[in-house]
Amino acid sequence: MFKIVSRFSGPSVGHIGESCSLIGSAKFHVANGALCQKSAVKSPATDLPEMPPCDFKPVEYKDLSKERMMEIRRQNCHPMTMKVTYYKKPVFIHQGHMQWLWDVDGKRYLDLFAGVATVSVGHCHPKVTAAAEKQLRRLWHTTNIYVYPTLHEYCEKLASFFPDPLKVVYLTNSGSEANDLAMLMARLHTGNYDIITFRGSYHGGSPQTMGLTSNAAYKYPVANGLGCTNTMCPDVFRGPWGGSHCRDSPVQTIRECGCAQGHCMANEHYIGQLKETLVTSVPSRIAAFFGEPIQGVGGAVQYPKNYLKEAYRLVRERGGICIADEVQTGFGRTGSHYWGFQGHDVIPDMVTMAKGIANGFPMGAVVTTPEIAASFGKGVHFNTFGGNPVACAIASSVLDTIKEDGAQQISHDVGTYLLTELAKFRDKYEIIGDVRGKGLQIGVEMVKDKASRDPLSPEAMSEIFEDVKDMGVLIGKGGLYGQTFRIKPPMCITREDADFFLAVFDKSVHNYMIHHL
């Protein structure tokens, strides 16, 4: 139970407790145990969860007004900027420190989305900031046509985090660039063209990677991504098959499972769908298979434990290479392993990464084998900014900081706590269908009801989403229907932060239930 307070404390607002817990659709319990009908409640409690303290003081904001920023956003920024703006009342961010963000009015937010799983060790982390400042005073930019220490020091350090034979590094500026390059390398190396990805996947927005991405919201009605085929995603919650022992997560689905020990019928069915794709939709020889170890934009979707192992075997039998997209799962975020593919007990032929690689500084990378890299020598590929000295200095500091701060262990410990506590909300609320993920890569899938598993409406999602933000927490959304809340914070959050979010999320879902059910 959370304590009840009735006062506000500056930009950090007061803490509620569990005033009411909804069960079913129209009834809920109050703290004294009495059962109330929905009609008996006129409005939710005004008491709000109390934000954990923070000693950091942001500088006072004195720049553009909010009105002027929105005017420029509408007139001078591409219309897509307005289309992707989160919230009906946008958040105007001014400054960040570790897991915290401040808006232009001085309100503090707990950032549980990290710029889309990108701020890996914390906003403006002192160690990383110091590395950036040091390099900026020495050399801002030169390119691969010259030999400079930061590039080589970083490539050697990054390669040391991979098993053999994944030891060759090519640096880019983004995840889309990395995946685009991986497509080209796979086709050159194998001499084949077709590439397979999962439905619901997101691998970038460039003309080539748009074919890998399997979500209509990111598609345009122009020719793109030729040679890309999407196969059924082995989603054990929303897909046709799944049970209560399928995935590598502290929380399983509530679907019944009658499989014998060590046997997974759902996995067999989903592998059967991949086999069908291989015999119907692509040539007998293929170039590659792309797979996120846990789908990111798709909503933290997880597969049966042995799926990737079997899929890799099938792909390699047909001449293809296996590519792990670690843009969102890499650098310790899953907690149990440094790379998401390690949780599946596989070694890919190529790994792509970006986002958390440099804590928000634009950077990406492809890591592959010497053999595959050699095939790329058939032409010249030059990237002006890839391996930029400042990017390399920052990324190198990120690798050190993850180790020094114990960020991977934080991901495991706090992430497991969040998952297990969120699972209790799934049992408590009819509209929470699934809780899943590993470490600090978490998804909460919202549904109209558990029986149908139909996605909760966009309007309902927005209402809860906005309420969470108004109480001081920033999270994300994902899934094919925008039905999954995404929780992917900087890997420096504390158990106290987790408790604050849990109180906020509980109250937000509770508020929605009171008003609509």
Side-chain angles (χ1 to χ4, degrees), residues 326-380:
E326 295 275 357
V327 169
Q328 294 196 33
T329 50
F331 300 96
R333 178 161 291 278
T334 62
S336 61
H337 299 89
Y338 206 82
W339 306 109
F341 69 78
Q342 293 170 314
H344 294 273
D345 193 26
V346 295
I347 297 180
D349 304 293
M350 196 180 296
V351 182
T352 60
M353 64 208 73
K355 292 192 181 289
I357 191 173
N359 204 45
F361 196 88
M363 192 178 192
V366 177
V367 178
T368 190
T369 68
E371 182 185 8
I372 294 173
S375 301
F376 201 43
K378 297 173 182 176
V380 176

Side-chain angles (χ1 to χ4, degrees), residues 464 467-468 471 503-513:
I464 297 169
D467 203 16
V468 170
M471 283 191 270
V504 165
F505 190 64
D506 190 17
K507 183 168 176 60
S508 299
V509 176
H510 171 74
N511 288 347
Y512 174 81
M513 299 285 279

Side-chain angles (χ1 to χ4, degrees), residues 94-371:
H94 163 47
Q95 192 166 353
H97 175 72
M98 302 305 283
Q99 66 267 51
W100 304 106
L101 289 170
W102 285 263
D103 69 13
V104 297
D105 297 318
K107 180 176 178 178
R108 179 161 57 104
Y109 296 88
L110 175 62
D111 182 10
L112 295 190
F113 201 34
V116 193
T118 298
V119 180
S120 48
V121 295
H123 292 282
C124 301
H125 191 294
K127 296 174 186 174
V128 181
T129 301
E133 290 175 346
K134 180 180 178 182
Q135 185 60 45
L136 282 167
R137 291 189 180 95
R138 182 178 297 166
L139 179 68
W140 278 36
H141 177 70
T142 187
T143 72
N144 287 326
I145 62 176
Y146 304 114
V147 181
Y148 49 97
T150 46
L151 170 71
H152 302 84
E153 289 167 359
Y154 179 65
C155 286
E156 181 183 45
K157 187 183 290 187
L158 180 62
S160 73
F161 283 83
F162 286 91
D164 288 330
L166 295 167
K167 294 297 178 182
V168 181
V169 178
Y170 196 106
L171 298 175
T172 67
N173 304 293
S174 70
S176 291
E177 267 192 24
N179 284 336
D180 203 291
L181 181 61
M183 295 173 73
L184 176 58
M185 293 175 73
R187 285 168 169 160
L188 283 170
H189 179 68
T190 63
N192 303 323
Y193 193 72
D194 288 71
I195 299 174
I196 296 174
T197 60
F198 288 135
R199 294 175 195 162
S201 61
Y202 182 87
H203 297 285
S206 68
Q208 279 286 89
T209 59
M210 206 182 296
L212 299 179
T213 294
S214 177
N215 185 320
Y218 297 95
K219 299 280 193 180
Y220 288 88
V222 295
N224 63 77
L226 300 177
C228 296
T229 297
N230 306 127
T231 193
M232 180 182 283
C233 177
D235 181 348
V236 298
F237 171 72
R238 181 159 296 283
W241 307 288
S244 56
H245 303 286
C246 292
R247 61 194 183 201
D248 179 20
S249 172
V251 180
Q252 299 292 333
T253 69
I254 57 174
R255 300 175 79 169
E256 292 184 5
C257 182
C259 296
Q261 186 73 25
H263 184 72
C264 182
M265 291 182 63
N267 186 55
E268 291 179 359
H269 285 303
Y270 287 118
I271 286 294
Q273 289 296 307
L274 174 59
K275 289 178 178 178
E276 185 137 333
T277 298
L278 290 168
V279 299
T280 61
S281 304
V282 294
S284 59
R285 306 293 289 176
I286 62 174
F289 166 77
F290 264 85
E292 301 163 88
I294 299 174
Q295 281 194 350
V297 174
V301 176
Q302 291 180 282
Y303 328 127
K305 294 170 188 172
N306 291 317
Y307 181 91
L308 285 186
K309 187 180 291 189
E310 181 68 9
Y312 276 25
R313 183 185 66 80
L314 292 171
V315 168
R316 286 166 172 158
E317 284 178 354
R318 287 157 180 80
I321 66 171
C322 300
I323 304 170
D325 180 334
E326 295 275 357
V327 169
Q328 294 196 33
T329 50
F331 300 96
R333 178 161 291 278
T334 62
S336 61
H337 299 89
Y338 206 82
W339 306 109
F341 69 78
Q342 293 170 314
H344 294 273
D345 193 26
V346 295
I347 297 180
D349 304 293
M350 196 180 296
V351 182
T352 60
M353 64 208 73
K355 292 192 181 289
I357 191 173
N359 204 45
F361 196 88
M363 192 178 192
V366 177
V367 178
T368 190
T369 68
E371 182 185 8

